[in-house]
Every structure is written in structure tokens, then in C-alpha cells.
Amino acid sequence: PPPSSVVWIEDSLPTGAIPAGDGGDNWNWVTANPAPFGGSRSHQSTIGSGLHQHYFDWASQTMSVSAGETLYAYVYLDPASPPSEIMLQWNDGSWEHRAYWGDNSIPYGTTGSNSRRYMGALPASGRWVRLEVPASQVGLAGSTVRGMSFGAFNGRVTWDTAGKSSGSAPADSEGPGITISAPANNA
């Protein structure tokens, strides 16, 4: 059976969230280039050098994470300006819950721990892919999440739907932590 999903971010931030950004990045909502994976808009980073990220915290509309659940987010790497690393972070009162793909350039956390877990190579650029992280691998099983960060080292990244599911998406695998999914908007 397909997994049960809870969408936490789609077209807007969760209720009560306070948005912010670092490294020249901020919340830039776009409707094209690329077309959103789902809904009517996605959020896109600037083209940056080094670490740049946008994030939110203090959402009153939190996301409870149970044992056995998988955290996910859809990502599109700009083929004209690809990053060398991407990172997702979650906040349950602490930002020490991170997963990354690609190079190990972002200096947050301790490599090989819940605070900086390597999930594999970067996904292919120029198409939407679903990043997946078992909640247990970043220390979030049994936690309530109130914030999330979308980071990149170099390049430009577009992000879309994020949340949790009871298992992996039924799609072709591109490697650990990545599944290939057809866009909901047929883009």
C-alpha cells in the first residue's frame, strides 16, 4: 500500500512560523522556472557561493514525528548553477537534526551523528526529486518539530512540498535517501 503522508509545508509556511534566511538567502516564493512540484508555488534560494539557507522556527502548527516515520522534501537542483551540497535541518527545540546530500562542506553538527547525517550523493539536477530521511537517523522519532531549514552550499535550489510519511514514496529509487517522482503539476 502507498505510504500515509502528512504535508507540513505547501505554498506557505505552517501557522505561526517566523521566517528567516542567511548567506543572502530568504523566502522567495516562485510559480515558474521550475513549475512547482505540487500546489501553486515553491520556494527558491538565491544563486549563492558558500552556505546559504532559508528557514523558519516557532511554528504553532507543529509536526509530531512518530517512530518509523520518514521525513521528506521535494527538491529541484538548478542545472545551470548546481549546488555542491544540500542540507535539511529540523528544530524540535534544538537544530541538531540534520541530513545532507553531496559534499560535506556545511560545518553544522558532527559528521556521522544525528546532527549531520550523510544521506548520499546529490540527486540529478533539472528535475524534481523527493529527499527522504528516516526520522530515527536524525534523532526525531518521538519528537515534535517546530522549525525547518533548507540549505545549500553554492548554486541554486528550489524546494517544494515537505512533511512526513509512514514509509517511502512508491517511485523509482535514485539512491539512498532519494526517490524519483513525477511532478504533480505535470511540469
Side-chain angles (χ1 to χ4, degrees):
S4 161
S5 288
V6 172
V7 174
W8 195 37
I9 302 168
E10 178 70 273
D11 291 345
S12 63
L13 297 178
T15 304
I18 299 173
D22 293 329
D25 228 18
N26 216 325
W27 286 89
N28 177 33
W29 294 95
V30 298
T31 59
N33 299 321
F37 175 82
S40 61
R41 58 190 198 157
S42 51
H43 47 105
Q44 188 174 74
S45 73
T46 59
I47 295 175
S49 295
L51 171 60
H52 52 104
Q53 65 180 342
H54 56 276
Y55 55 94
F56 67 88
D57 196 5
W58 301 105
S60 55
Q61 178 190 350
T62 57
M63 181 175 65
S64 296
V65 182
S66 299
E69 290 186 317
T70 299
L71 305 168
Y72 71 87
Y74 285 85
V75 67
Y76 182 101
L77 305 184
D78 186 335
S81 187
S84 57
E85 178 184 1
I86 56 176
M87 178 179 276
L88 292 171
Q89 301 178 66
W90 296 268
N91 187 331
D92 67 349
S94 162
W95 282 107
E96 296 299 308
H97 309 280
R98 300 180 188 92
Y100 74 96
W101 293 257
D103 294 347
N104 188 5
S105 300
I106 298 174
Y108 298 151
T110 302
T111 301
S113 73
N114 293 339
S115 68
R116 188 158 88 202
R117 183 77 59 202
Y118 178 68
M119 298 303 296
L122 286 171
S125 63
R127 66 178 171 184
W128 285 106
V129 296
R130 177 177 163 127
L131 302 176
E132 297 183 332
V133 179
S136 61
Q137 289 194 16
V138 290
L140 286 172
S143 295
T144 300
V145 178
R146 68 179 201 202
M148 191 169 179
S149 175
F150 303 85
F153 199 88
N154 300 326
R156 178 188 302 194
V157 180
T158 305
W159 304 89
D160 208 334
T161 310
K164 67 176 186 169
S165 67
S166 62
S168 290
D172 296 329
S173 176
E174 191 176 276
I178 301 171
T179 58
I180 304 166
S181 302
N185 290 338
N186 298 318

